[in-house]
Amino acid sequence: MANIASQKKRNRQNEKRRARNKAVRSELKTRIKHAETAAAKGDDNEDSEALMRLAIKRIDQAAAKGVLHRNAANRQKSRLTKRLARISADA
C-alpha cells in the first residue's frame, strides 16, 4: 500500500477507470456477439443490420472515450463487418 497521499489518490482513480473500462469492453463483446448470432440465425435483415450498427456505434464510443485506441476500433469494425458479411452470405 502506498504511503504518499497523491499515490493513494492515483490508485483510487486507476481502480475507478479500470472498472469503467472493463464494463465498456464487456458491453462491446456482448453487442458483437448479439450481432453475430443474429446474422447466423438469419434473423430479419433489418434486425441484424440494426444490431451491427449498434455494435459499431459502441465501438466508436469506446474509441472516443479512450477505452480503445482509434486504430484498434477501426480494426474491430472492419473485422466485424467482414465476419457478418461472410455469415450472411453463407446463410
Side-chain angles (χ1 to χ4, degrees):
M1 184 66 186
N3 292 324
I4 300 169
S6 62
Q7 188 58 47
K8 289 179 183 178
K9 179 179 178 180
R10 176 66 60 198
N11 289 341
R12 289 194 308 267
Q13 289 173 335
N14 287 339
E15 184 58 32
K16 281 183 186 177
R17 290 181 182 131
R18 185 186 70 81
R20 189 179 317 123
N21 290 344
K22 185 176 180 181
V24 170
R25 285 193 194 103
S26 176
E27 185 188 5
L28 282 180
K29 290 178 188 176
T30 303
R31 299 291 181 186
I32 290 169
K33 189 178 3 173
H34 286 322
E36 288 176 351
T37 54
K41 274 200 280 186
D43 282 355
D44 186 19
N45 196 20
E46 292 176 7
D47 290 342
S48 61
E49 190 73 26
L51 288 172
M52 182 184 78
R53 276 198 309 273
L54 183 60
I56 288 175
K57 180 179 179 181
R58 293 291 190 242
I59 291 171
D60 285 336
Q61 286 176 341
K65 292 291 183 183
V67 177
L68 289 177
H69 189 273
R70 184 173 36 96
N71 291 346
N74 289 336
R75 183 176 63 245
Q76 280 190 4
K77 291 189 296 185
S78 175
R79 289 179 180 174
L80 174 65
T81 306
K82 282 188 212 174
R83 263 197 317 268
L84 294 180
R86 191 176 336 116
I87 289 171
S88 59
D90 292 344

